[in-house]
Amino acid sequence: VKSGLCKRALVQLSYAIGVAKPLSLFVETYGTEQGTLDADDITNVIKIAFDCRPGAIAQSLALREPKYQETAAYCHFGREPYTNKGGIKFFEWENSKDLSKYKGMTPAQVTAELAGSNYLTKWVD
């Protein structure tokens, strides 16, 4: 949404116990796509840009760094992300990934980029 691919989105992931990769990914844009990409193309963009294996999520959001005191108070969401002097990242989940390069692509270009990516190492397909 922030990168301008659509104005509104619902993203659903499903997992199974003991399976590291998400079993399914569903994206609903409610018809608010901005440009030539439809919801299926935006789903492919997510497969290219994100690694949603549980370990990868924990690493990208810096969830294994001890910081419970600061994140437990005054809500987990809507806070400004920052890194302290010790290098520990706080509220990393508030940083959005820039996907604006996909906004100008055609569906064929997204499909070609998906085929050339390593998405099968990150997703069950």
Side-chain angles (χ1 to χ4, degrees):
V1 172
K2 187 170 184 176
S3 296
L5 297 174
C6 59
K7 288 187 176 182
R8 183 176 171 203
L10 167 74
V11 179
Q12 294 178 344
L13 295 167
S14 68
Y15 295 89
I17 295 172
V19 180
K21 300 175 186 177
L23 295 182
S24 70
L25 167 65
F26 173 74
V27 177
E28 174 62 63
T29 58
Y30 306 100
T32 64
E33 298 90 356
Q34 304 293 296
T36 61
L37 302 182
D38 63 15
D40 289 334
D41 299 319
I42 294 172
T43 300
N44 289 338
V45 167
I46 291 171
K47 287 181 180 180
I48 295 166
F50 294 96
D51 188 346
C52 287
R53 294 174 292 175
I57 291 171
Q59 185 177 8
S60 68
L61 298 179
L63 297 178
R64 294 194 175 123
E65 296 174 353
K67 52 189 164 217
Y68 307 111
Q69 189 70 32
E70 288 84 3
T71 58
Y74 308 111
C75 191
H76 298 302
F77 301 103
R79 309 267 301 269
E80 196 64 37
Y82 67 93
T83 303
N84 73 3
K85 291 178 184 176
I88 296 177
K89 297 177 181 176
F90 291 86
F91 308 105
E92 187 64 20
W93 50 85
E94 296 291 346
N95 287 325
S96 61
K97 190 176 267 194
D98 183 18
L99 303 176
S100 59
K101 74 175 190 174
Y102 299 102
K103 188 176 180 182
M105 289 186 171
T106 65
Q109 289 172 319
V110 170
T111 301
E113 182 141 344
L114 179 68
S117 73
N118 67 341
Y119 82 96
L120 286 176
T121 63
K122 305 181 286 188
W123 298 91
V124 173
D125 204 28

